[in-house]
Amino acid sequence: MTGLLTQAEGDPVAIENGDAKGDFLFVCEHASSRLPERLGTLGLPKEALESHIAWDPGALAVSRLLAGKLDGTLIHQRFSRLVYDCNRPPESDAATPVVSEVYEVPGNRAMSAAERQARVDEIYLPFHETVSEFVAARKAVGRQPILVTMHSFTPVYFGKSRSVELGILHDADSRLADRMLAVATTGEVAYDIRRNEPYGPADGVTHSLIEYGVRHGLPNVMIEIRNDLIRNEVGQRVMADYLGGLLARSAAALPKK
Ligand SMILES: [Zn+2]
């Protein structure tokens, strides 16, 4: 058995405000840059381990503020997406990337089949089960969660600047995304906000939306925030205020089930 996490490292998944009265379920797959001790640095330099390839800077902080504001539940992954990207299924090579943007990840290239399986078993499956069980438990008592997966993206990718500030992403079910885009582009427009940018379903980024939302008929959306906007606490609060209002208004406009 190739163990990955030590007992001291604890549970890979964290739930906050699990008995929330509100219906929003915030999911943050790329919340942390932490690596399990047993993996060392994966052969990466410090600047890579702190960069967007390891995590989504600011996403957890904004998710926490939103869960507080809207009395929602937050479920997040406590380890880096370089170990296992919880927004990808086990059969995807992108779940344990050997190259991420401009960085090679030597520790992912050198991995044995057993080592990769340990990442699936100890990082992905507990996450997948926790979110799935939460959704099932809510549905069992007649409640319908509204799934919001929270991400941030780098302002410069492969040397190219991105002008989009907020991405509203969806897969087959665009009910919530449509309403958010309609609300956000009515009256004064606060941000450069776009549908399925800077990524979309074709990039394989809607795994969580499909698994935890579409599959269960839940309204769902993936939010991508350009990370320079949420670099510090002030920016995070401004963004959470904006998104909190946008989500509340958009959810209120959904047809009653
Ligand atoms: Zn992300």
Side-chain angles (χ1 to χ4, degrees), residues 51-53 55 57 81 100-103 152-165 198-199 224-229 231:
S51 79
H52 71 95
I53 73 160
W55 65 317
R81 66 161 155 213
S100 186
E101 202 197 3
V102 295
Y103 293 100
S152 73
F153 63 93
T154 179
V156 179
Y157 194 58
F158 286 108
K160 248 192 110 191
S161 286
R162 288 158 152 175
S163 56
V164 54
E165 294 176 306
Y199 309 106
E224 281 275 9
I225 308 165
R226 206 176 65 200
N227 72 28
D228 57 312
L229 300 171
R231 220 162 246 163

Side-chain angles (χ1 to χ4, degrees), residues 203-218:
D203 302 303
V205 298
T206 52
H207 173 68
S208 292
L209 289 187
I210 294 168
E211 281 298 310
Y212 314 127
V214 176
R215 193 181 288 284
H216 302 283
L218 307 182

Side-chain angles (χ1 to χ4, degrees), residues 89-192:
E91 61 272 19
S92 166
D93 290 337
T96 51
V98 294
V99 179
S100 186
E101 202 197 3
V102 295
Y103 293 100
E104 297 245 355
V105 188
N108 286 357
R109 195 179 291 284
M111 200 171 20
S112 70
E115 284 165 340
R116 190 176 195 278
Q117 191 59 46
R119 298 198 197 180
V120 174
D121 294 346
E122 296 186 45
I123 303 290
Y124 177 72
L125 290 181
F127 187 82
H128 182 75
E129 279 156 21
T130 300
V131 183
S132 301
E133 279 164 17
F134 179 87
V135 169
R138 283 290 174 98
K139 290 187 80 173
V141 295
R143 293 177 63 182
Q144 176 173 258
I146 300 169
L147 174 71
V148 182
T149 69
M150 295 292 299
H151 295 262
S152 73
F153 63 93
T154 179
V156 179
Y157 194 58
F158 286 108
K160 248 192 110 191
S161 286
R162 288 158 152 175
S163 56
V164 54
E165 294 176 306
L166 275 175
I168 303 296
L169 284 64
H170 60 82
D171 202 278
D173 179 352
S174 66
R175 283 174 295 170
L176 181 55
D178 290 345
R179 280 164 183 82
M180 288 177 74
L181 286 159
V183 171
T185 54
T186 302
E188 199 176 319
V189 178
Y191 293 99
D192 183 334

Side-chain angles (χ1 to χ4, degrees), residues 18-33:
D19 49 12
K21 297 211 170 40
D23 291 326
F24 282 103
L25 168 59
F26 297 96
V27 170
C28 197
E29 303 96 318
H30 306 149
S32 175
S33 60

